[in-house]
Amino acid sequence: MSNLKKMALLALMWPAFARAQQSVTVTGQKKASPWMKAESQHFIVFSNTSDDALRQLLDNLEKLDHVLRIQTRDYQIAATARNKITLYYHDRPGSFNDAVADAPPEAIGLYNSCGHGVQGYAVHLEGIAGLRPEQLAKHALNNSQTYIFEAYARHFLYRYTDIRMPANYIDGYAQYFSTVRFAGKQMSLGRVPASVARYIYFLDNGHGRQLSYQDILAPAAPNDTGVTAEPAVRLEYLAKSWLLTHYILSSDDSVGQRDRYLNQVHLDVPVGVAYAASFGQKLSELDTAMWRYRGKGVEVRQFEVPSLPSARIDFTSLPDAVTDFLLADAALKSCPGQQRGASVLAALSQHAGGMPNNDAAWLTLSRAQVDWGKAEDALPYLNEAVRKDGAGAEAFYLLGTANLRLSAQRKEASYLQAAIGNLTRARSLDPDSAEVAYALYQARLATGDKPDAATLEAAIAAWRNAHEVNTHARAAALAFAYSGRVAEADNALTLLAHSALDPEQAAWAHTWQARLAKGVGYIELLAEMRREPDAAAPFKEWTVAGDDLMRTVEYNAGVENTRKYLESMRLADPVSEKNFFVLPTKK
């Protein structure tokens, strides 16, 4: 088994659409869309905010990305994804609640990863102001920036490293880097997130604790500390995960201990055992140790990083006629379920404004037809699109995928040949696309021939360019095994086995690790490669608004205090009118 390399929103807004018969007309472009596109070195952002908001966002994100790459240099996978992250930056928090059925009540950010792509969603709560060096350590933390940084730091680990556990380290890491701030070539590191500070103050003022550090590292029974947990439990988990990670990352002396800890967890040593062995601390004594660490004063470091980049941004205005198609494209690439996918297709087919004379809009409609309708409906436009000068990879990809669907339905070799040809062309135009590489892998497997090096390489490339997508990890694990690259196969399976949010894939990975350890023949491997698994649910990394959680915790504490007061009054005076007061319910 290979060791872990060392480490030093919203499936997008789309209302419920009425079903409609397919009817397409073409309209011209008129006024500009409220949405715009901005592209920097590592990000593509679509937003309905402002040019200035996007400049500040991208400049800070590029700096954070640079710092994270330095900090994880020894942990990054050998061949990291080169394609840019797409982010949708909304101007209002309510956009989440109307869009994703399973969004937590306090959702403020999301990274959605699946076979069709990886997309981030964030909300503009307040402008991100530029800072001077003397403000770095003390200026009030900007909530928009904190939540966006938290979400990206968490996602960075999944995308660029093999770290999948411990969950408390990943969340603590995200909290730790959520408060990084920049001023020119200087940065500050280690500040306390505002919601964490408020919750620690809340605990220090006599409110009961619900979690010990042993509960976080080695719970005696399963406990829900995720985004669906009771607010006080979630906040205490985040606060203690932040403090523990601050302790781990704040000292150069702990680097070796941290490396041993993460490597042992990767090798399936229980988290609590790995921590105690690596740091020489008994879990039963950890609450006291962390109290002392906090009591010394949490260190905030400020230093210069001469290599900090500035964002180089290209802005593109969009016509208003394609606004709905932009949002629909994001919805389709979030791998929606059957009902939602069909509703998006129905809405596009009967769009109130007709079909604009815009290739991006037509490509979105074609994607909906291929994925959720009749693939043959997309062929007329796509066959014409790929003949145009400068035709892009997406047109060839969709045409290839349409033919692959028809090949499976009609069992005609000509469709499969067309699929392979178009997908090969798409891959030559966009070699960094995981979606294209995986589709080509599927098409070449469908020929029934023994997989050649190009077929296996396509599966591996899909995972290399979307390391956070479990569907691609599964294909890569089998391709590695078929190629005789046993250590790489085992590593891919280990990452899947550590997927706490995808228990089906985790169970499959455990099974195949055991099978590979005993020895599996090529015929069995090939059969598994050709078995199309059930559509995997998207991997969703939610970010919740800590301030909203804290308000809920304070409200619930007030309700509880009122309950205790009224109970004491009832005991003192059973006929008091206060006994008829109806308490509000907790949130």
Side-chain angles (χ1 to χ4, degrees), residues 9-10 12-13 90-100 122-123:
L9 200 168
L10 112 122
L12 187 66
M13 305 187 313
H90 294 261
D91 65 354
R92 62 184 181 88
S95 58
F96 277 93
N97 299 326
D98 297 335
V100 184
V123 176

Side-chain angles (χ1 to χ4, degrees), residues 98-249:
D98 297 335
V100 184
D102 58 352
E106 297 85 7
I108 204 70
L110 169 67
Y111 274 89
N112 187 94
S113 307
C114 67
H116 283 324
V118 178
Q119 301 177 122
Y121 304 90
V123 176
H124 177 80
L125 299 174
E126 55 184 317
I128 301 174
L131 299 177
R132 299 186 303 274
E134 63 270 20
Q135 295 177 300
L136 284 174
K138 296 183 179 179
H139 193 271
L141 293 168
N142 178 291
N143 276 338
S144 288
Q145 190 171 359
T146 295
Y147 297 140
I148 290 167
F149 276 18
E150 177 189 342
Y152 186 64
R154 180 184 293 110
H155 186 72
F156 189 95
L157 293 181
Y158 287 109
R159 186 169 181 81
Y160 297 112
T161 80
D162 283 348
I163 296 172
R164 297 296 182 270
M165 292 174 62
N168 66 81
Y169 179 82
I170 293 172
D171 281 323
Y173 186 93
Q175 292 283 318
Y176 182 75
F177 282 98
S178 72
T179 59
V180 170
R181 292 298 182 265
F182 303 102
K185 297 294 184 180
Q186 290 196 32
M187 63 173 283
S188 61
L189 181 65
R191 293 187 64 181
V192 187
S195 59
V196 168
R198 286 176 62 188
Y199 192 74
I200 290 174
Y201 178 80
F202 179 80
L203 292 179
D204 288 348
N205 277 271
H207 295 278
R209 291 168 170 79
Q210 303 194 49
L211 296 172
S212 68
Y213 280 93
Q214 187 155 346
D215 292 329
I216 290 173
L217 290 171
N223 53 30
D224 182 11
T225 55
V227 294
T228 60
E230 192 270 322
V233 173
R234 177 63 179 168
L235 260 183
E236 187 164 358
Y237 165 80
L238 290 176
K240 290 185 171 176
S241 295
W242 167 80
L243 186 61
L244 188 59
T245 305
H246 194 289
Y247 169 76
I248 292 172
L249 296 179

Side-chain angles (χ1 to χ4, degrees), residues 83 115-117 367 392-398 400-401 404 419-444 458-459 461-462 465-466 472:
N83 46 342
H116 283 324
R367 182 180 287 273
E394 187 169 12
F396 283 100
Y397 161 76
L398 290 172
T401 305
L404 186 58
I420 293 173
N422 283 294
L423 291 169
T424 300
R425 176 61 177 153
R427 186 139 191 251
S428 71
L429 291 170
D430 189 359
D432 297 331
S433 169
E435 180 183 44
V436 170
Y438 185 72
L440 180 58
Y441 163 72
Q442 291 180 303
R444 294 178 72 98
N465 288 304
H472 301 337

